[in-house]
Amino acid sequence: MLRQFDAVLGTGSLLGYSKAITAPAVVLHGSHDPMLAAAHGRSVAAAIPGARFVVVDGMGHDLPEPVWRPIIETLTENFARAGIR
């Protein structure tokens, strides 16, 4: 967790990169994320034109098996928006 926090601090703002994304995008955020509040994910989604913001219930800052299905379903929907099969 400390390494991830250091990475966040070390990279600075990625807002310019987010605004440049043109592909269909979805921002996933865990409802129980101990590192970043949902508002951060919502801000990232707001910076990406047309992006969807999805809160994954029960997910923290990791990917435990119980959240795999909703994540796969959300990503599959996004791939369909992008025309990827």
Side-chain angles (χ1 to χ4, degrees), residues 29-34 54-68 70-71:
H29 194 91
S31 64
H32 293 78
D33 190 330
V54 176
V55 174
V56 180
D57 190 40
M59 185 171 86
H61 203 78
D62 57 355
L63 296 170
E65 189 172 345
V67 302
W68 292 357
I71 289 173

Side-chain angles (χ1 to χ4, degrees), residues 13-80:
S13 176
L14 300 176
L15 184 60
Y17 295 104
S18 298
K19 289 181 177 182
I21 295 171
T22 59
V26 61
V27 176
L28 300 168
H29 194 91
S31 64
H32 293 78
D33 190 330
M35 291 185 63
L36 296 168
H40 294 282
R42 192 171 280 111
S43 294
V44 170
I48 301 170
R52 290 178 48 227
F53 176 68
V54 176
V55 174
V56 180
D57 190 40
M59 185 171 86
H61 203 78
D62 57 355
L63 296 170
E65 189 172 345
V67 302
W68 292 357
R69 180 171 299 280
I71 289 173
I72 290 168
E73 289 171 358
T74 301
L75 292 175
T76 300
E77 290 170 11
N78 194 66
F79 297 153

